[in-house]
């Protein structure tokens, strides 16, 4: 969930932009490999990167991203000192966070079903570095990174977003643009030059002061929704246009991520209903076959009753199946993602 911490007036004298945090998801591998290769060898800032990756396998991202990089690119390690001119890559199944000097890794609750999560890094960078932080949202699905980028802005930092028209998946940058007072929106081809030019520069006082006037998170209200990770109660927080949910354990979800999960749960439930209706039709048919020669006292055939049950079940199963197939057809999905 968002930090929600009170933001005091910012003193920017002598502060410089020396921390860059980057988040990417779908399409982010190629984007990050290109971006990291464009940073100069003398970059006067530290770079920390979260790419949503599977937790099931060892990650070789640091090695791959480092092949063409001019900076050292290393996997993030717990309690490592954050050094300027270094790129730190989040490792599978651990959140990457920071304090004012060190990297912190933890196996805490997932955010938007991810660990590592973009928002976890952004929240910690906003709190630890305030107006010195530059937050970057690249290509990706849904709205991951929006809540974290909002916190970076609220603490006086700089918000940078890849132009949605330039992204493999426009959803993440488009969400950030819709909810956050973004300072720079550029295509990937201009991102390296922009960030390299900002790094080491004095904090822009007007940008820093503008950020702290962004909408503050509302008071958390208990919702009727159940956490899909732990089945505990969830609270809802509204920040401007952004809707966010969190449980008492610490699992956190944007409105879009929670909607996707509920949609998937509904689809699973409906397919289960189709299966149950098919079972009902099969059992009713078998009973009808065994009772075809028997009559009830009132003269109505038991077999006819069970055949009606089978027909109704098959009819209902067909209706639900047609709805599911229509909702998940390529044409419908393309319209939803456009």
């Amino acid at each position: 969930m968002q930090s929600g911490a009170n933001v005091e007036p910012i003193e920017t004298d002598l502060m410089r932009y020396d921390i860059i945090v980057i988040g990417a998801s779908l399409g982010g591998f190629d984007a990050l490999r290109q971006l990291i290769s464009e940073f100069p060898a003398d970059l006067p800032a530290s770079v920390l990167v979260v790419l949503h990756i599977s937790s099931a396998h060892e990650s070789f991202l640091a090695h791959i991203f480092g092949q063409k990089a001019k900076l050292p690119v290393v996997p993030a390690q717990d309690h490592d000192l954050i050094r300027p001119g270094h790129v730190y890559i989040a490792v599978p199944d651990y959140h990457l966070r920071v304090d004012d000097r060190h990297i912190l890794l933890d196996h805490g609750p997932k955010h938007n079903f991810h660990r590592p999560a973009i928002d976890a890094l952004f929240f910690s960078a906003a709190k630890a570095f305030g107006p010195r932080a530059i937050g970057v949202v690249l290509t990706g699905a849904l709205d991951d990174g929006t809540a974290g980028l909002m916190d970076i802005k609220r603490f006086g930092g700089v918000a940078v977003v890849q132009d949605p028209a330039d992204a493999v998946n426009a959803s993440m940058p488009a969400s950030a643009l819709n909810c956050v007072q973004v300072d720079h929106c550029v295509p990937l081809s201009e991102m390296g030059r922009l960030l390299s030019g900002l790094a080491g520069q004095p904090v822009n006082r007007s940008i820093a002061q503008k950020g702290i006037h962004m909408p503050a998170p509302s008071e958390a209200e208990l919702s009727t929704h159940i956490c899909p990770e732990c089945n505990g109660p969830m609270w809802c927080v509204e920040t401007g246009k952004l809707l966010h949910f969190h449980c008492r354990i610490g699992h956190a979800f944007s409105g879009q991520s929670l909607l996707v999960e509920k949609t998937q749960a509904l689809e699973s439930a409906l397919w289960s209903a189709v299966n149950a209706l098919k079972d009902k039709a099969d059992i009713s048919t078998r009973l009808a076959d065994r009772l075809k020669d028997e009559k009830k006292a009132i003269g109505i055939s038991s077999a006819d009753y069970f055949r009606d049950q089978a027909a109704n079940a098959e009819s209902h199963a067909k209706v639900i199946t047609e709805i599911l197939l229509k909702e998940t057809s390529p044409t419908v999905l393309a319209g939803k993602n456009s």
Side-chain angles (χ1 to χ4, degrees):
M1 72 185 215
Q2 289 174 275
S3 70
N6 294 326
V7 181
E8 300 295 333
I10 297 171
E11 297 296 333
T12 60
D13 295 341
L14 304 180
M15 287 187 178
R16 296 183 181 274
Y17 296 119
D18 57 1
I19 189 81
I20 301 173
V21 290
I22 305 174
S25 186
L26 184 63
F29 178 84
D30 290 333
L32 285 167
R33 183 165 56 176
Q34 175 182 330
L35 177 58
I36 291 171
S37 71
E38 295 176 355
F39 289 134
D42 59 349
L43 186 76
S46 306
V47 181
L48 297 102
V49 176
V50 168
L51 173 64
H52 288 159
I53 51 178
S54 170
S55 60
H57 304 287
E58 182 179 357
S59 172
F60 297 95
L61 290 178
H63 172 73
I64 296 171
F65 291 159
Q67 289 177 340
K68 295 184 178 181
K70 306 174 187 67
L71 299 172
V73 181
V74 298
Q77 296 189 35
D78 196 28
H79 290 97
D80 266 5
L81 188 68
I82 301 174
R83 299 179 181 180
H86 284 65
V87 180
Y88 300 93
I89 308 296
V91 296
D93 213 24
Y94 285 90
H95 287 309
L96 169 57
R97 308 182 202 264
V98 294
D99 62 18
D100 59 348
R101 297 186 62 194
H102 299 91
I103 287 172
L104 305 174
L105 300 184
D106 68 72
H107 194 70
K110 294 179 180 180
H111 290 208
N112 293 329
F113 304 99
H114 294 292
R115 187 176 52 227
I118 298 168
D119 285 335
L121 171 60
F122 283 18
F123 291 153
S124 66
K127 184 176 180 180
F129 292 93
R132 296 156 54 193
I134 301 172
V136 183
V137 173
L138 300 180
T139 176
L142 301 179
D143 54 357
D144 297 304
T146 297
L149 193 66
M150 188 173 288
D151 250 26
I152 286 176
K153 279 300 300 179
R154 289 185 59 246
F155 279 80
V158 176
V160 179
V161 171
Q162 182 180 2
D163 186 344
D166 178 62
V168 172
N169 191 302
S171 296
M172 272 175 39
S175 172
L177 281 171
N178 185 48
C179 297
V180 183
Q181 296 176 11
V182 170
D183 300 296
H184 302 277
C185 177
V186 297
L188 187 65
S189 59
E190 299 177 19
M191 187 74 70
R193 182 168 61 253
L194 170 66
L195 297 176
S196 299
L198 289 172
Q201 294 298 312
V203 168
N204 186 312
R205 182 183 292 271
S206 63
I207 289 178
Q209 295 298 333
K210 185 187 301 182
I212 66 174
H213 297 299
M214 289 187 60
S218 66
E219 291 293 328
E221 294 184 0
L222 185 63
S223 76
T224 59
H225 306 295
I226 301 300
C227 176
E229 294 277 10
C230 67
N231 295 320
M234 288 201 298
W235 284 259
C236 177
V237 176
E238 297 181 18
T239 309
K241 298 178 182 179
L242 187 66
L243 195 62
H244 217 248
F245 297 86
H246 66 91
C247 73
R248 59 187 171 191
I249 300 300
H251 298 114
F253 311 90
S254 69
Q256 286 192 35
S257 293
L258 192 60
L259 178 61
V260 167
E261 191 281 332
K262 296 300 182 184
T263 301
Q264 291 172 343
L266 176 60
E267 180 180 343
S268 178
L270 289 174
W271 281 122
S272 294
V274 170
N275 186 55
L277 287 166
K278 292 285 187 181
D279 284 346
K280 179 180 179 181
D282 178 69
I283 295 170
S284 296
T285 300
R286 288 172 181 268
L287 288 171
D289 289 342
R290 282 157 178 76
L291 298 175
K292 60 184 178 180
D293 296 327
E294 295 186 16
K295 300 286 185 179
K296 286 188 177 181
I298 57 175
I300 301 175
S301 170
S302 296
D304 289 343
Y305 169 79
F306 288 118
R307 287 194 185 96
D308 287 343
Q309 290 289 301
N312 288 336
E314 287 287 3
S315 176
H316 294 156
K318 182 179 179 181
V319 170
I320 296 174
T321 299
E322 289 176 349
I323 292 172
L324 284 166
L325 293 177
K326 182 180 179 181
E327 283 296 307
T328 56
S329 70
T331 302
V332 172
L333 291 177
K336 289 180 178 179
N337 294 328
S338 62

